[in-house]
Amino acid sequence: VAQVGASRRGKRQNAMSANARVRICSLAGLVLLLQAAVGAAAEGERQPRFERLENGLRLGVVEERGSPLASVQLWFEVGSAADPADSLGLCDVTRRVLAARGEASERLTAAGGRVESRTLKDACYFATLLPNDRVQLALEAEAARMKRLSASAEAVAAAVATMQRESAAAGGPGKGVARQVAGQLFEGHPYGRPVFSEDSLPRLTADAVNEFARRWFVPGNALVLVVADVDAEATLARMRELFEPLEWRQPPHVREAP
């Protein structure tokens, strides 16, 4: 009995320490990008510019002089770990619906951009790499994406179907070595859960997606970042014009999982 208890305590401690590691890794790419920008600034280039709007949205501009391409990113501080236990996949479906909203990806791709979007454990992001002279187009697309969501049943069904196809190609929602290791490492923790479960699919409705978006995909829980060969002040001024009209909403308090 003592050995079993010690084993369970050890697993919980490992999960807690790994919790911190994964939380850090979720935004590792963004942190490294900003570190590189700060390092460049120390060598004589301009410092990154950041500010927060009254609606809670954080804005950032990193001047990358000489770069022919621009990166425009929208980050939300919510991921699959926030899924209710009986609605696994809700965050990912919501993110997929937002990614397809208004055919933004198609328009950005047609403008020469490369669009990427993913759901992590503690974050979701939408990122576009495109020519410098198309930054405003990408910002307009992200501003439209952030407006209050009213997803249709058809849009949610399409997102669920895509998620099922991708999961089936990977061997199932709980399959794969990485997922099995995560399940063991984070036993009893949201990080150890599969992407979704067959039992949860009927609960991934349009009403559930819209409510989840209203709670989490809000300005107070988001960051818009531009890394490009642009004038920071002029770009921030345009970002204020596009994003200040968004409704002020603050996300729920995030409780640490046991």
Side-chain angles (χ1 to χ4, degrees), residues 194-219:
V195 178
F196 72 96
S197 70
E198 293 296 332
D199 293 339
S200 71
L201 293 180
R203 300 183 183 90
L204 306 184
T205 63
D207 287 343
V209 165
N210 290 327
E211 178 59 26
F212 193 88
R214 280 191 284 269
R215 286 169 56 84
W216 293 105
F217 288 82
V218 297

Side-chain angles (χ1 to χ4, degrees), residues 173-194:
K175 304 299 182 181
V177 174
R179 292 171 184 171
Q180 291 178 13
V181 170
Q184 292 292 323
L185 182 60
F186 299 109
E187 183 179 358
H189 188 280
Y191 287 177
R193 302 184 308 201

Side-chain angles (χ1 to χ4, degrees), residues 61-134:
V61 177
V62 179
E63 294 184 356
E64 188 72 15
R65 293 304 183 190
S67 174
L69 297 176
S71 177
V72 178
Q73 307 169 23
L74 171 60
W75 287 80
F76 289 97
E77 196 175 348
V78 62
S80 60
D83 285 341
D86 63 348
S87 300
L88 301 184
L90 183 56
C91 183
D92 192 46
V93 170
T94 304
R95 191 267 310 168
R96 290 172 184 271
V97 171
L98 287 169
R101 190 179 195 184
E103 299 181 345
S105 296
E106 289 79 358
R107 289 188 288 111
L108 292 171
T109 300
R114 186 178 70 188
V115 182
E116 180 182 357
S117 178
R118 287 190 62 190
T119 302
L120 308 177
K121 292 297 185 183
D122 288 309
C124 290
Y125 70 84
F126 306 85
T128 303
L129 188 68
L130 73 175
N132 264 304
D133 60 353
R134 308 291 173 85

Side-chain angles (χ1 to χ4, degrees), residues 34 38 48-52 59-62 223-225 236:
L34 295 182
V38 171
R49 293 284 306 278
F50 295 95
E51 66 178 65
R52 192 174 194 125
L59 306 178
V61 177
V62 179
L223 163 70
V224 179
L225 179 67
L236 282 171

